[in-house]
Amino acid sequence: MTVPLPIFVAVPLATAFLLPVFAKRGKAVATVLANLATVSLLVMALCSIGQTRVYEVGRWSIPLGINLVLDGLSCLLLLAISVVSTAAMLFSVRYMEQYTAKAKYLSLFLLMVGGMNGVVLSGDIFNLFVFLEIASIASYALVGFGCGNEELEASFKYMVLGSIASTFILFAIALVYGNTGSLNMAYISKAIQGSGLNAGLAFALSLFIVGFSLKAALVPFHAWLPDAHPSAPAPISAMLSGVLIKALGVYALVRVLFNVFGISVSMGWILIILGLSSMVAGAFLAMGQWDFKRLLAYSSISQLGYVILGIGLGGLIIAQGGNLAWASLAILGGLFHLLNHAVYKSLLFLTSGSVEMSTGTRQLKQLGGLAGKLPFTRAACTVASASIAGIPPFSGFWSKLILVIAAVQAHFYWIAAIIVFVSLCTLIMYLKVQRYVFLGELPENLQQTKENRGSMLVAMVFLACLCVLMGLLVIIPALRNSILEPAVKVLTDGLEYSTKIIKL
Amino acid sequence: MLYALCFLLFMIGLYCAVVKKNMVKIVFGIMIMEYAVNLFLIMLGYHFGGVAPIIDKSQFDPGTGQIAGSFLNNSVDPLPQALVLTAIVIGLGSLALMISICIRTYEKYGTFDITQIRRLKG
C-alpha cells in the first residue's frame, strides 16, 4: 500500500489545530482524537516499510518546488517516532489528568510529532529547518508545561540553546544557498561534487555540525538536556529522549554529512570523538545522580554516543576506502541502537512517570521497596534496564554486540574496549535504580502506594514487549532486509543519494 | 565589507546571548542573531541597482515564452526574500514564547538575573 507522503505531516498538524475546537465538548473527545491520530500514523508507517519514493509538493518539478523523500533511513526514523508517540500518547491519557489544559497539551504533542515527521521526510534543506523549528518550539513549550519554578528555568535554558542552534543552522543554510544556488539536498550535493568544498561551504559544514550537535545534546553541547528532559511531564520526557534528539539532531546531522556534503576522514573522526566523549561523560555523570529522571537523562547522552560512534566509525571506514562490509556493520549497529534506544529509554521514562505519579517523588533516596506495590511498573522497568545494560536476550545486547564486532573487525580495539566499559557503567547505574526504587525497605509514607492501571499499563506493556522482541530485527533476515538494511544502504551509498533522487 | 559587518552583527548577538546575565538581554541577543542571518539572506540575493523581481508585460514574450535579458540581469533573487519571510514568522513565534516564559519566571522568582535562578544543578 502506498501512503501519500504529505499525510505523515498533514494528519498530526490538522489534528493539532482541530483539537482546541473539540476540547469544548469535553476532554474525552480530544483525547480519543489525538490517540486515533498517533495510531493511524503508526499503521501508515508500518505500511510504508521498504519503500523509496519522492513526492513533489504542489506538483512543482524538483528543483523548483519542495519535495518529500521517503527512503530507508527516513522510514526507520518514521517507525521510531510513531511507535514512541503512540505509547507516550496512550500513557498521557491517564497521566496528564494531574495537569490542567489537557487539550493544549495534546495539540502541542501532535505539533511536535508533525514537525519530526516533516524533518525526516523533507528533501529540501530549508523545509527541514522549518519543520525542525515547529518541533523545537512545541518542545520548548512542553518542557515548561508544568509552569513550576524548575520547569520554567529548564524551559528557558533549553530555549536559549535551542534557538542559538536553530540560528546556526539557518546561517549554514544561507551559506549553502549562496555557494550552490539551490536548496534541494540532491542538487546541493551535485553542486558540491562539482565545485569541491570551498571556504564558505566548509564554514557552513562546521555550523551544521555545531547546530545539529546542540540539538542532539552531544557532549560538549549537552548542557540543556539534563535540565530539560526531567522537567517535562513523563510522556514528553519519553518523546524528547526517545525520538526528538534523534530526529532533530542525529538524523539531520547524518543526512547532511553523508548524503549532502559527503563523508570525509576528518568528519568521521569528529563523529567518533563526539560519540566517545558523550558515551563516557554521560555515563559517569549519570552514575552520580540521585534524581530518577535526571539519571535517565544523562544516560540518554551516553546512549546517543553509541549511535554517533557507530555511524562515525562506518563513515570513517568508507572515507578511508576500507571494506564496505565492515562499514555497513558499524552503521547497522549505530542505527539499530538508535531504534532500540528509542524504545527502551521511552519505556524507562514512562516507568519513572508511573513511579512519580504513585509516590509523588522521584528522589531515589526517598523511594524503596516498591517491587510489591508496583509489580507491573517494576517488571517493565526491569526489562528496560536489562535492555539498556545489554543483558543477552534483550534488544540492547544485540546492537552493542554488533558495535563491538564492527570495532574489532576494523582493528579499533580501544574503541571496542570503551564500548564494553561504558556498558558496564550502564549496568551499574541501572542496578542502582533497581536497588533504590524497587528493592530495599519500603518507607513509612509509601505504604499506601497503588499501581497505575488502565492506559498507562497498556503503554508500558506494549513497549516492554517490543524490548524483548526487537532482537528479532537482526536475527530474522527478512525483517533485517526490510527495515535496517535499506537504512544502512542510504548511508553507505553516500553521495549517490542525489542521482537516485533526481532520477526517480 | 557588508558581509563582514553582517557577520559582526551576528557575533554581537552571540556574545550578548552567551555572556549577559539578564534574561531579557539574552532574548535580545538571540533576536539580534536571527536578524543578522535574515539580513545575510537578503544580501545574498541583492545586487546594486537591482530591480524588484516582478515581470511586466513588456519584458515577457508570450509567443516564445522568453523573458527579456535586461530583466534577468537586473532583478534581485526572489527566493531569499521568501525564505526571510518564513524565518521572520518563525522568529516571531519563538520570541513570543521566550518573552512569555521570561514573564512567568519573573512572577515566580521576582528577578531576571539568571545567576539567582538556579534551582537545577548536577
Short mmCIF file of all heavy atoms in Angstrom, two decimals, chain A residues 140-171:
data_model
loop_
_atom_site.label_atom_id
_atom_site.label_comp_id
_atom_site.label_asym_id
_atom_site.label_seq_id
_atom_site.Cartn_x
_atom_site.Cartn_y
_atom_site.Cartn_z
N TYR A 140 9.83 23.27 23.40
CA TYR A 140 10.14 24.27 24.45
C TYR A 140 8.91 24.49 25.32
O TYR A 140 9.00 24.55 26.55
CB TYR A 140 10.51 25.64 23.86
CG TYR A 140 11.62 25.67 22.84
CD1 TYR A 140 11.63 26.61 21.82
CD2 TYR A 140 12.68 24.79 22.91
CE1 TYR A 140 12.63 26.67 20.89
CE2 TYR A 140 13.69 24.84 21.97
CZ TYR A 140 13.65 25.77 20.96
OH TYR A 140 14.64 25.83 20.04
N ALA A 141 7.75 24.62 24.65
CA ALA A 141 6.53 24.88 25.41
C ALA A 141 6.18 23.68 26.28
O ALA A 141 5.74 23.84 27.42
CB ALA A 141 5.39 25.19 24.46
N LEU A 142 6.40 22.46 25.77
CA LEU A 142 6.03 21.28 26.54
C LEU A 142 6.95 21.09 27.75
O LEU A 142 6.50 20.61 28.79
CB LEU A 142 6.08 20.04 25.65
CG LEU A 142 4.88 19.89 24.73
CD1 LEU A 142 5.13 18.82 23.69
CD2 LEU A 142 3.65 19.54 25.54
N VAL A 143 8.23 21.46 27.62
CA VAL A 143 9.13 21.33 28.77
C VAL A 143 8.66 22.22 29.90
O VAL A 143 8.69 21.83 31.07
CB VAL A 143 10.58 21.66 28.36
CG1 VAL A 143 11.44 21.89 29.57
CG2 VAL A 143 11.16 20.55 27.54
N GLY A 144 8.17 23.42 29.55
CA GLY A 144 7.70 24.32 30.59
C GLY A 144 6.24 24.14 30.92
O GLY A 144 5.63 25.02 31.52
N PHE A 145 5.64 23.01 30.53
CA PHE A 145 4.19 22.87 30.62
C PHE A 145 3.67 22.94 32.05
O PHE A 145 2.58 23.43 32.30
CB PHE A 145 3.76 21.55 29.97
CG PHE A 145 2.30 21.50 29.67
CD1 PHE A 145 1.80 22.21 28.59
CD2 PHE A 145 1.43 20.78 30.46
CE1 PHE A 145 0.45 22.19 28.31
CE2 PHE A 145 0.07 20.76 30.17
CZ PHE A 145 -0.41 21.46 29.10
N GLY A 146 4.48 22.44 33.00
CA GLY A 146 4.02 22.45 34.39
C GLY A 146 3.98 23.84 35.00
O GLY A 146 3.30 24.06 35.99
N CYS A 147 4.72 24.82 34.40
CA CYS A 147 4.77 26.20 34.88
C CYS A 147 5.23 26.33 36.33
O CYS A 147 4.92 27.30 36.99
CB CYS A 147 3.43 26.91 34.72
SG CYS A 147 3.21 27.50 33.05
N GLY A 148 5.96 25.34 36.83
CA GLY A 148 6.57 25.49 38.15
C GLY A 148 7.91 26.20 38.00
O GLY A 148 8.34 26.49 36.89
N ASN A 149 8.57 26.49 39.14
CA ASN A 149 9.85 27.20 39.08
C ASN A 149 10.87 26.47 38.23
O ASN A 149 11.50 27.05 37.35
CB ASN A 149 10.41 27.35 40.49
CG ASN A 149 9.61 28.34 41.30
OD1 ASN A 149 8.70 28.96 40.76
ND2 ASN A 149 9.94 28.48 42.56
N GLU A 150 11.01 25.17 38.51
CA GLU A 150 12.06 24.42 37.82
C GLU A 150 11.74 24.23 36.35
O GLU A 150 12.62 24.30 35.50
CB GLU A 150 12.26 23.08 38.50
CG GLU A 150 13.01 23.23 39.80
CD GLU A 150 12.80 22.08 40.73
OE1 GLU A 150 12.41 21.01 40.26
OE2 GLU A 150 13.01 22.27 41.94
N GLU A 151 10.47 23.99 36.05
CA GLU A 151 10.08 23.79 34.65
C GLU A 151 10.41 25.02 33.82
O GLU A 151 10.95 24.92 32.73
CB GLU A 151 8.58 23.49 34.53
CG GLU A 151 8.18 22.07 34.84
CD GLU A 151 7.73 21.91 36.28
OE1 GLU A 151 8.12 22.76 37.10
OE2 GLU A 151 7.02 20.95 36.57
N LEU A 152 10.06 26.21 34.38
CA LEU A 152 10.29 27.45 33.62
C LEU A 152 11.78 27.67 33.42
O LEU A 152 12.22 28.06 32.33
CB LEU A 152 9.66 28.64 34.35
CG LEU A 152 8.15 28.66 34.31
CD1 LEU A 152 7.61 29.72 35.23
CD2 LEU A 152 7.66 28.91 32.90
N GLU A 153 12.56 27.42 34.47
CA GLU A 153 14.01 27.62 34.36
C GLU A 153 14.59 26.69 33.29
O GLU A 153 15.36 27.12 32.42
CB GLU A 153 14.65 27.35 35.71
CG GLU A 153 16.14 27.62 35.72
CD GLU A 153 16.77 27.12 37.01
OE1 GLU A 153 16.08 26.99 38.01
OE2 GLU A 153 17.98 26.86 36.97
N ALA A 154 14.17 25.42 33.34
CA ALA A 154 14.69 24.45 32.37
C ALA A 154 14.26 24.83 30.96
O ALA A 154 15.04 24.76 30.01
CB ALA A 154 14.20 23.06 32.71
N SER A 155 13.00 25.25 30.83
CA SER A 155 12.48 25.59 29.52
C SER A 155 13.25 26.77 28.94
O SER A 155 13.58 26.79 27.75
CB SER A 155 11.00 25.93 29.64
OG SER A 155 10.50 26.34 28.42
N PHE A 156 13.55 27.78 29.78
CA PHE A 156 14.29 28.94 29.27
C PHE A 156 15.69 28.55 28.82
O PHE A 156 16.14 28.95 27.74
CB PHE A 156 14.37 30.03 30.36
CG PHE A 156 14.99 31.30 29.86
CD1 PHE A 156 14.29 32.13 29.00
CD2 PHE A 156 16.28 31.67 30.22
CE1 PHE A 156 14.85 33.28 28.51
CE2 PHE A 156 16.84 32.82 29.74
CZ PHE A 156 16.13 33.63 28.89
N LYS A 157 16.35 27.73 29.62
CA LYS A 157 17.70 27.27 29.26
C LYS A 157 17.68 26.52 27.94
O LYS A 157 18.48 26.76 27.03
CB LYS A 157 18.17 26.33 30.36
CG LYS A 157 19.63 26.37 30.67
CD LYS A 157 19.85 25.38 31.79
CE LYS A 157 20.98 25.76 32.69
NZ LYS A 157 21.12 24.80 33.78
N TYR A 158 16.71 25.60 27.83
CA TYR A 158 16.56 24.79 26.62
C TYR A 158 16.30 25.69 25.42
O TYR A 158 16.87 25.53 24.34
CB TYR A 158 15.40 23.82 26.86
CG TYR A 158 15.03 22.90 25.72
CD1 TYR A 158 15.96 22.54 24.75
CD2 TYR A 158 13.76 22.37 25.62
CE1 TYR A 158 15.60 21.69 23.72
CE2 TYR A 158 13.40 21.52 24.60
CZ TYR A 158 14.33 21.19 23.65
OH TYR A 158 13.98 20.36 22.64
N MET A 159 15.43 26.70 25.64
CA MET A 159 15.03 27.54 24.53
C MET A 159 16.18 28.41 24.04
O MET A 159 16.35 28.61 22.84
CB MET A 159 13.85 28.40 24.93
CG MET A 159 13.21 29.05 23.77
SD MET A 159 11.49 29.24 23.99
CE MET A 159 11.44 30.20 25.41
N VAL A 160 16.98 28.94 24.99
CA VAL A 160 18.11 29.78 24.57
C VAL A 160 19.08 28.95 23.73
O VAL A 160 19.45 29.33 22.61
CB VAL A 160 18.82 30.37 25.80
CG1 VAL A 160 20.14 30.98 25.41
CG2 VAL A 160 17.94 31.40 26.44
N LEU A 161 19.47 27.76 24.24
CA LEU A 161 20.43 26.96 23.47
C LEU A 161 19.82 26.44 22.19
O LEU A 161 20.47 26.41 21.14
CB LEU A 161 20.95 25.81 24.34
CG LEU A 161 21.91 26.30 25.41
CD1 LEU A 161 22.30 25.18 26.34
CD2 LEU A 161 23.15 26.90 24.80
N GLY A 162 18.52 26.06 22.24
CA GLY A 162 17.85 25.58 21.04
C GLY A 162 17.77 26.66 19.98
O GLY A 162 17.99 26.40 18.79
N SER A 163 17.46 27.91 20.40
CA SER A 163 17.36 28.99 19.41
C SER A 163 18.71 29.31 18.81
O SER A 163 18.81 29.60 17.61
CB SER A 163 16.79 30.25 20.06
OG SER A 163 15.55 29.98 20.60
N ILE A 164 19.77 29.28 19.64
CA ILE A 164 21.10 29.52 19.09
C ILE A 164 21.43 28.45 18.05
O ILE A 164 21.92 28.75 16.95
CB ILE A 164 22.16 29.55 20.22
CG1 ILE A 164 21.96 30.80 21.07
CG2 ILE A 164 23.56 29.54 19.64
CD1 ILE A 164 22.87 30.88 22.25
N ALA A 165 21.09 27.20 18.37
CA ALA A 165 21.35 26.11 17.42
C ALA A 165 20.58 26.34 16.12
O ALA A 165 21.12 26.21 15.03
CB ALA A 165 20.96 24.77 18.03
N SER A 166 19.30 26.75 16.24
CA SER A 166 18.49 26.98 15.04
C SER A 166 19.09 28.09 14.20
O SER A 166 19.11 28.00 12.97
CB SER A 166 17.07 27.37 15.43
OG SER A 166 16.50 26.39 16.21
N THR A 167 19.57 29.17 14.88
CA THR A 167 20.15 30.28 14.13
C THR A 167 21.40 29.83 13.39
O THR A 167 21.62 30.22 12.24
CB THR A 167 20.49 31.43 15.09
OG1 THR A 167 19.44 31.55 16.02
CG2 THR A 167 20.64 32.71 14.35
N PHE A 168 22.22 29.01 14.04
CA PHE A 168 23.41 28.47 13.38
C PHE A 168 23.01 27.69 12.13
O PHE A 168 23.62 27.83 11.07
CB PHE A 168 24.18 27.53 14.32
CG PHE A 168 25.14 28.24 15.23
CD1 PHE A 168 24.93 29.55 15.60
CD2 PHE A 168 26.25 27.58 15.73
CE1 PHE A 168 25.81 30.20 16.43
CE2 PHE A 168 27.14 28.22 16.57
CZ PHE A 168 26.92 29.52 16.92
N ILE A 169 21.95 26.87 12.27
CA ILE A 169 21.54 26.04 11.14
C ILE A 169 21.04 26.92 10.00
O ILE A 169 21.37 26.70 8.84
CB ILE A 169 20.47 25.02 11.60
CG1 ILE A 169 21.08 24.04 12.59
CG2 ILE A 169 19.89 24.28 10.42
CD1 ILE A 169 20.07 23.24 13.35
N LEU A 170 20.26 27.97 10.35
CA LEU A 170 19.75 28.86 9.30
C LEU A 170 20.90 29.58 8.60
O LEU A 170 20.91 29.74 7.37
CB LEU A 170 18.77 29.87 9.91
CG LEU A 170 18.10 30.80 8.91
CD1 LEU A 170 17.30 30.00 7.90
CD2 LEU A 170 17.20 31.79 9.61
N PHE A 171 21.89 30.01 9.38
CA PHE A 171 23.07 30.68 8.81
C PHE A 171 23.77 29.73 7.85
O PHE A 171 24.15 30.11 6.73
CB PHE A 171 23.99 31.09 9.96
CG PHE A 171 25.07 32.07 9.58
CD1 PHE A 171 25.02 32.77 8.38
CD2 PHE A 171 26.13 32.31 10.44
CE1 PHE A 171 26.00 33.68 8.04
CE2 PHE A 171 27.12 33.23 10.10
CZ PHE A 171 27.05 33.90 8.91
#
